Amino acid sequence: MPKRSKEDTEITIQKIMDAVVDQLLRLGYDKMSYTTLSQQTGISRTGVSHHFPKKTDFTAALDERIFKMFVEHVDFEQDVEAFSVSWLAALDNEEFCAILRLLFHHIVTSSTHEFARNGVERLYTITEAKFGPSSGKELEWLIGKSLLRMAS
């Protein structure tokens, strides 16, 4: 069998990653599997696992992409009040809530918490850079408010 080109491999990986994002947000981390990814992409389970041997490899590879999707829902351009208002409004958005669920899931279930820790640390860094050190308290309140709202 001829060796696949680097471009073909990159296309395959991108196809898998697009399906992972879709399934993480639509099905959730627990329901996404190598089987569901294989069914959606047409790539064998072995092919998927060749590129991503552990399920946690998906979130590690998508960390930046998912974070970017998340912050697109909140206003970092005005003041901390506009940021809070935009966050609370985003709680009505399915994609925003799906990303929060993924973050909370990793906080609770992951042994390393790397995906969740990276996301939360970046949020603190951005809010403090944009709105000052006291904005950390507002972010904590928003995260808590989000958790309570999503639980009800």
Side-chain angles (χ1 to χ4, degrees):
M1 189 159 108
K3 186 175 178 177
R4 292 176 47 108
S5 71
K6 184 176 181 175
E7 293 81 20
D8 286 343
T9 300
E10 288 177 14
I11 289 168
T12 298
I13 290 171
Q14 189 58 50
K15 188 175 187 179
I16 294 167
M17 298 309 289
D18 290 344
V20 169
V21 169
D22 174 62
Q23 290 190 21
L24 284 173
L25 300 181
R26 190 171 40 84
L27 302 174
Y29 186 82
D30 286 339
K31 292 182 182 172
M32 180 191 75
S33 69
Y34 288 95
T35 300
T36 61
L37 291 170
S38 176
Q39 291 168 342
Q40 182 171 340
T41 62
I43 300 166
S44 70
R45 286 177 42 158
T46 305
V48 174
S49 66
H50 170 75
H51 296 290
F52 300 95
K54 298 179 303 216
K55 197 172 174 182
T56 55
D57 293 337
F58 295 121
T59 51
L62 284 169
D63 187 36
E64 189 65 38
R65 183 171 170 182
I66 291 173
F67 187 77
K68 184 176 184 247
M69 291 169 69
F70 181 81
V71 298
E72 287 174 353
H73 293 280
V74 292
D75 182 355
F76 283 103
E77 299 307 315
Q78 297 182 56
D79 58 10
V80 72
E81 185 177 334
F83 168 74
S84 293
V85 168
S86 68
W87 182 299
L88 294 172
L91 289 173
D92 292 327
N93 180 280
E94 285 184 41
E95 181 180 272
F96 184 80
C97 289
I99 295 169
L100 277 174
R101 274 192 294 280
L102 179 63
L103 181 73
F104 294 147
H105 172 85
H106 275 266
I107 289 171
V108 173
T109 63
S110 175
S111 59
T112 64
H113 307 293
E114 189 172 327
F115 173 76
R117 183 177 54 247
N118 288 344
V120 171
E121 285 177 3
R122 273 191 273 174
L123 280 172
Y124 274 103
T125 300
I126 291 171
T127 55
E128 288 181 5
K130 294 281 187 175
F131 311 122
S134 63
S135 64
K137 293 287 185 201
E138 186 70 12
L139 181 58
E140 289 170 5
W141 180 83
L142 289 166
I143 291 171
K145 179 80 171 169
S146 301
L147 185 58
L148 291 173
R149 179 149 172 215
M150 292 170 59
S152 58

